[in-house]
Amino acid sequence: MFPTTFGIADGQRLHCHLTPPRSGGNGSVSVILVHSLGDHHLSLPYRELTRQLSGRGMAVYAFDLRGHGRSPGPRVFVERWSDYRDDLQAFIEEVERTAPQTPIHLVGFGLGGLIVLDYAENRPAGLRGVVAIAPWLEIAGMSGWRRWLFARLG
């Protein structure tokens, strides 16, 4: 059984969820969804995508980033950008314990898109695919609060 939380390096436990495959699928593919800034894994766009993917026989895993949704921590804040990468690594390890030898695909939206691209660039081993939907790749034209956030994330 998949847990509802998993541990990260600083001792906190982040909220997570598995939607098992429907319609007779065996979960031969694991998809990990990473949400955007201010969202959580049960926000509307992720619910619909999860429904679609699980309906096609995929196991869909998701977690709330630190400070988002049901996960602890200051709201929408990280000390270092690498915290996101390390948290995603911990979650991937949890998924691998549950579904060993299953290909892992990362799907990220907005901030989550940037997180999955960063993860794939720095730790590509074991990934079968990466999809980044509207990733935050450019600061030009970005609102003031996002520029402020990026300046602090380094």
Side-chain angles (χ1 to χ4, degrees):
M1 176 166 232
F2 195 71
T4 58
T5 64
F6 69 100
I8 56 176
D10 65 6
Q12 294 185 79
R13 297 198 61 81
L14 302 184
H15 181 75
C16 61
H17 181 76
L18 161 64
T19 301
R22 294 183 301 141
S23 63
N26 62 2
S28 59
V29 173
S30 294
V31 176
I32 296 175
L33 300 182
V34 182
H35 64 77
S36 193
L37 183 73
D39 274 345
H40 56 86
H41 79 273
L42 292 175
S43 295
L44 184 59
Y46 316 114
R47 284 186 292 187
E48 181 58 23
L49 180 59
T50 296
R51 188 180 72 74
Q52 292 292 327
L53 294 173
S54 68
R56 287 170 174 73
M58 300 175 206
V60 182
Y61 299 84
F63 71 101
D64 289 339
L65 297 169
R66 56 176 69 216
H68 289 76
R70 296 182 190 165
S71 289
R75 298 288 91 183
V76 294
F77 175 80
V78 289
E79 286 287 332
R80 294 169 303 283
W81 177 258
S82 61
D83 289 343
Y84 284 137
R85 189 181 316 129
D86 295 341
D87 295 351
L88 181 53
Q89 175 72 49
F91 189 60
I92 289 171
E93 290 169 2
E94 191 66 48
V95 170
E96 288 173 333
R97 279 190 286 281
T98 301
Q101 308 303 313
T102 303
I104 292 180
H105 296 75
L106 301 178
V107 177
F109 302 80
L111 173 63
L114 184 58
I115 291 169
V116 300
L117 290 175
D118 173 75
Y119 186 88
E121 180 180 358
N122 288 282
R123 300 178 187 171
L127 294 180
R128 184 62 61 89
V130 176
V131 176
I133 301 168
W136 290 2
L137 296 177
E138 185 177 327
I139 294 179
M142 188 178 285
S143 65
W145 71 269
R146 284 186 174 164
R147 280 195 301 279
W148 175 88
L149 177 65
F150 268 66
R152 275 130 192 95
L153 293 176

